[in-house]
Amino acid sequence: GKSTLLRHLIGSLCPDQGSVELFGRDIILMSENELNKIRKQFGVLFQSGALFNSLTVGENIALLLREHTELDEPTIEIMVKMKLELVGLRRHANKMPAQLSGGMKKRAGLARAIALDPQILFYDEPSAGLDPVTSAQIDQLIIDLSRKLRVTSVVVTHEMDSAFSIADRMCMLDKGEILKIG
């Protein structure tokens, strides 16, 4: 249910009933063009990192900037370096995703998620498949980025240690039902 909830929040699934509001607007009622404009205001870190394997880490981030902005190439190069610096991967810009560890792939995916300076970051199981030390580092990175970028983070996880480290507010789900919000 956690990942399904996230898919509803980002507009990749449409609920059978109810509404999903982002930025004061119900995304369920939006056309695909309107929804795509809203999507530029949030970033998503998927469980796998979802990097394009045929592109370098830097090219993965630059792709979004090329597709969704009118920035020139020198500015895009600077933006890529800035985003990679924020996640501690600046010197890995020319590596292919296959050359990265699991934690590095998550950080590269996160750099791509912040490429367009979103207002909200959605995370789908950010510590999935990571060892406890790397998981704690990703948790700290989420906290740091939330503060530095003044961005709202919505984290979907079953890792309770992680949830208690990251969260200001928490919503507990069980079998598709909200048990508690606090």
Side-chain angles (χ1 to χ4, degrees), residues 1-2 5 172-179:
K2 298 180 304 291
L5 173 63
M172 179 76 78
L173 296 175
D174 183 45
K175 297 180 184 122
E177 298 291 324
I178 295 175
L179 297 181

mmCIF file with all atom_site columns, all heavy atoms in Angstrom, residues 1-2 5 172-179:
data_model
loop_
_atom_site.group_PDB
_atom_site.id
_atom_site.type_symbol
_atom_site.label_atom_id
_atom_site.label_alt_id
_atom_site.label_comp_id
_atom_site.label_asym_id
_atom_site.label_entity_id
_atom_site.label_seq_id
_atom_site.pdbx_PDB_ins_code
_atom_site.Cartn_x
_atom_site.Cartn_y
_atom_site.Cartn_z
_atom_site.occupancy
_atom_site.B_iso_or_equiv
_atom_site.pdbx_formal_charge
_atom_site.auth_seq_id
_atom_site.auth_comp_id
_atom_site.auth_asym_id
_atom_site.auth_atom_id
_atom_site.pdbx_PDB_model_num
ATOM 1  N N   . GLY A 1 1   ? 0.783  -1.201 0.000  1.00 0.00 ? 1   GLY A N   1
ATOM 2  C CA  . GLY A 1 1   ? 0.000  0.000  0.000  1.00 0.00 ? 1   GLY A CA  1
ATOM 3  C C   . GLY A 1 1   ? 0.831  1.274  0.000  1.00 0.00 ? 1   GLY A C   1
ATOM 4  O O   . GLY A 1 1   ? 0.377  2.297  -0.474 1.00 0.00 ? 1   GLY A O   1
ATOM 5  N N   . LYS A 1 2   ? 2.074  1.226  0.542  1.00 0.00 ? 2   LYS A N   1
ATOM 6  C CA  . LYS A 1 2   ? 2.892  2.435  0.648  1.00 0.00 ? 2   LYS A CA  1
ATOM 7  C C   . LYS A 1 2   ? 3.262  2.977  -0.729 1.00 0.00 ? 2   LYS A C   1
ATOM 8  O O   . LYS A 1 2   ? 3.081  4.164  -1.006 1.00 0.00 ? 2   LYS A O   1
ATOM 9  C CB  . LYS A 1 2   ? 4.174  2.150  1.445  1.00 0.00 ? 2   LYS A CB  1
ATOM 10 C CG  . LYS A 1 2   ? 3.940  1.713  2.878  1.00 0.00 ? 2   LYS A CG  1
ATOM 11 C CD  . LYS A 1 2   ? 5.230  1.453  3.630  1.00 0.00 ? 2   LYS A CD  1
ATOM 12 C CE  . LYS A 1 2   ? 6.157  0.449  3.013  1.00 0.00 ? 2   LYS A CE  1
ATOM 13 N NZ  . LYS A 1 2   ? 5.727  -0.945 3.001  1.00 0.00 ? 2   LYS A NZ  1
ATOM 14 N N   . LEU A 1 5   ? 0.240  4.331  -2.525 1.00 0.00 ? 5   LEU A N   1
ATOM 15 C CA  . LEU A 1 5   ? -0.077 5.682  -2.052 1.00 0.00 ? 5   LEU A CA  1
ATOM 16 C C   . LEU A 1 5   ? 0.826  6.710  -2.735 1.00 0.00 ? 5   LEU A C   1
ATOM 17 O O   . LEU A 1 5   ? 0.354  7.737  -3.223 1.00 0.00 ? 5   LEU A O   1
ATOM 18 C CB  . LEU A 1 5   ? 0.079  5.767  -0.536 1.00 0.00 ? 5   LEU A CB  1
ATOM 19 C CG  . LEU A 1 5   ? -0.072 7.168  0.066  1.00 0.00 ? 5   LEU A CG  1
ATOM 20 C CD1 . LEU A 1 5   ? -1.475 7.707  -0.167 1.00 0.00 ? 5   LEU A CD1 1
ATOM 21 C CD2 . LEU A 1 5   ? 0.263  7.144  1.550  1.00 0.00 ? 5   LEU A CD2 1
ATOM 22 N N   . MET A 1 172 ? 0.819  6.226  9.735  1.00 0.00 ? 172 MET A N   1
ATOM 23 C CA  . MET A 1 172 ? 0.976  4.770  9.790  1.00 0.00 ? 172 MET A CA  1
ATOM 24 C C   . MET A 1 172 ? -0.155 4.122  9.012  1.00 0.00 ? 172 MET A C   1
ATOM 25 O O   . MET A 1 172 ? -1.335 4.392  9.276  1.00 0.00 ? 172 MET A O   1
ATOM 26 C CB  . MET A 1 172 ? 0.956  4.305  11.240 1.00 0.00 ? 172 MET A CB  1
ATOM 27 C CG  . MET A 1 172 ? 1.082  2.814  11.407 1.00 0.00 ? 172 MET A CG  1
ATOM 28 S SD  . MET A 1 172 ? 2.747  2.209  11.149 1.00 0.00 ? 172 MET A SD  1
ATOM 29 C CE  . MET A 1 172 ? 3.498  2.659  12.682 1.00 0.00 ? 172 MET A CE  1
ATOM 30 N N   . LEU A 1 173 ? 0.221  3.290  8.028  1.00 0.00 ? 173 LEU A N   1
ATOM 31 C CA  . LEU A 1 173 ? -0.757 2.578  7.209  1.00 0.00 ? 173 LEU A CA  1
ATOM 32 C C   . LEU A 1 173 ? -0.720 1.090  7.536  1.00 0.00 ? 173 LEU A C   1
ATOM 33 O O   . LEU A 1 173 ? 0.346  0.547  7.816  1.00 0.00 ? 173 LEU A O   1
ATOM 34 C CB  . LEU A 1 173 ? -0.432 2.726  5.721  1.00 0.00 ? 173 LEU A CB  1
ATOM 35 C CG  . LEU A 1 173 ? -0.478 4.103  5.100  1.00 0.00 ? 173 LEU A CG  1
ATOM 36 C CD1 . LEU A 1 173 ? -0.008 4.043  3.652  1.00 0.00 ? 173 LEU A CD1 1
ATOM 37 C CD2 . LEU A 1 173 ? -1.869 4.669  5.162  1.00 0.00 ? 173 LEU A CD2 1
ATOM 38 N N   . ASP A 1 174 ? -1.865 0.442  7.447  1.00 0.00 ? 174 ASP A N   1
ATOM 39 C CA  . ASP A 1 174 ? -1.941 -1.001 7.586  1.00 0.00 ? 174 ASP A CA  1
ATOM 40 C C   . ASP A 1 174 ? -3.094 -1.487 6.722  1.00 0.00 ? 174 ASP A C   1
ATOM 41 O O   . ASP A 1 174 ? -4.237 -1.039 6.884  1.00 0.00 ? 174 ASP A O   1
ATOM 42 C CB  . ASP A 1 174 ? -2.164 -1.401 9.050  1.00 0.00 ? 174 ASP A CB  1
ATOM 43 C CG  . ASP A 1 174 ? -2.179 -2.909 9.241  1.00 0.00 ? 174 ASP A CG  1
ATOM 44 O OD1 . ASP A 1 174 ? -1.308 -3.591 8.671  1.00 0.00 ? 174 ASP A OD1 1
ATOM 45 O OD2 . ASP A 1 174 ? -3.078 -3.396 9.961  1.00 0.00 ? 174 ASP A OD2 1
ATOM 46 N N   . LYS A 1 175 ? -2.777 -2.372 5.787  1.00 0.00 ? 175 LYS A N   1
ATOM 47 C CA  . LYS A 1 175 ? -3.786 -2.948 4.894  1.00 0.00 ? 175 LYS A CA  1
ATOM 48 C C   . LYS A 1 175 ? -4.616 -1.862 4.209  1.00 0.00 ? 175 LYS A C   1
ATOM 49 O O   . LYS A 1 175 ? -5.841 -1.967 4.106  1.00 0.00 ? 175 LYS A O   1
ATOM 50 C CB  . LYS A 1 175 ? -4.673 -3.927 5.647  1.00 0.00 ? 175 LYS A CB  1
ATOM 51 C CG  . LYS A 1 175 ? -3.911 -5.122 6.183  1.00 0.00 ? 175 LYS A CG  1
ATOM 52 C CD  . LYS A 1 175 ? -4.819 -6.071 6.937  1.00 0.00 ? 175 LYS A CD  1
ATOM 53 C CE  . LYS A 1 175 ? -3.968 -7.181 7.516  1.00 0.00 ? 175 LYS A CE  1
ATOM 54 N NZ  . LYS A 1 175 ? -4.075 -7.279 8.959  1.00 0.00 ? 175 LYS A NZ  1
ATOM 55 N N   . GLY A 1 176 ? -3.946 -0.813 3.761  1.00 0.00 ? 176 GLY A N   1
ATOM 56 C CA  . GLY A 1 176 ? -4.621 0.241  3.030  1.00 0.00 ? 176 GLY A CA  1
ATOM 57 C C   . GLY A 1 176 ? -5.386 1.244  3.869  1.00 0.00 ? 176 GLY A C   1
ATOM 58 O O   . GLY A 1 176 ? -6.015 2.147  3.341  1.00 0.00 ? 176 GLY A O   1
ATOM 59 N N   . GLU A 1 177 ? -5.336 1.105  5.167  1.00 0.00 ? 177 GLU A N   1
ATOM 60 C CA  . GLU A 1 177 ? -6.053 2.006  6.065  1.00 0.00 ? 177 GLU A CA  1
ATOM 61 C C   . GLU A 1 177 ? -5.069 2.830  6.884  1.00 0.00 ? 177 GLU A C   1
ATOM 62 O O   . GLU A 1 177 ? -4.036 2.317  7.330  1.00 0.00 ? 177 GLU A O   1
ATOM 63 C CB  . GLU A 1 177 ? -6.946 1.216  7.033  1.00 0.00 ? 177 GLU A CB  1
ATOM 64 C CG  . GLU A 1 177 ? -8.029 0.391  6.361  1.00 0.00 ? 177 GLU A CG  1
ATOM 65 C CD  . GLU A 1 177 ? -9.112 1.236  5.721  1.00 0.00 ? 177 GLU A CD  1
ATOM 66 O OE1 . GLU A 1 177 ? -9.461 2.290  6.279  1.00 0.00 ? 177 GLU A OE1 1
ATOM 67 O OE2 . GLU A 1 177 ? -9.611 0.828  4.647  1.00 0.00 ? 177 GLU A OE2 1
ATOM 68 N N   . ILE A 1 178 ? -5.387 4.092  7.094  1.00 0.00 ? 178 ILE A N   1
ATOM 69 C CA  . ILE A 1 178 ? -4.572 4.949  7.954  1.00 0.00 ? 178 ILE A CA  1
ATOM 70 C C   . ILE A 1 178 ? -4.899 4.615  9.409  1.00 0.00 ? 178 ILE A C   1
ATOM 71 O O   . ILE A 1 178 ? -6.055 4.717  9.824  1.00 0.00 ? 178 ILE A O   1
ATOM 72 C CB  . ILE A 1 178 ? -4.838 6.433  7.659  1.00 0.00 ? 178 ILE A CB  1
ATOM 73 C CG1 . ILE A 1 178 ? -4.386 6.767  6.245  1.00 0.00 ? 178 ILE A CG1 1
ATOM 74 C CG2 . ILE A 1 178 ? -4.112 7.311  8.687  1.00 0.00 ? 178 ILE A CG2 1
ATOM 75 C CD1 . ILE A 1 178 ? -4.712 8.186  5.801  1.00 0.00 ? 178 ILE A CD1 1
ATOM 76 N N   . LEU A 1 179 ? -3.878 4.199  10.142 1.00 0.00 ? 179 LEU A N   1
ATOM 77 C CA  . LEU A 1 179 ? -4.078 3.863  11.548 1.00 0.00 ? 179 LEU A CA  1
ATOM 78 C C   . LEU A 1 179 ? -3.906 5.086  12.454 1.00 0.00 ? 179 LEU A C   1
ATOM 79 O O   . LEU A 1 179 ? -4.644 5.264  13.392 1.00 0.00 ? 179 LEU A O   1
ATOM 80 C CB  . LEU A 1 179 ? -3.069 2.793  11.999 1.00 0.00 ? 179 LEU A CB  1
ATOM 81 C CG  . LEU A 1 179 ? -3.162 1.438  11.326 1.00 0.00 ? 179 LEU A CG  1
ATOM 82 C CD1 . LEU A 1 179 ? -2.096 0.506  11.908 1.00 0.00 ? 179 LEU A CD1 1
ATOM 83 C CD2 . LEU A 1 179 ? -4.548 0.831  11.505 1.00 0.00 ? 179 LEU A CD2 1
#
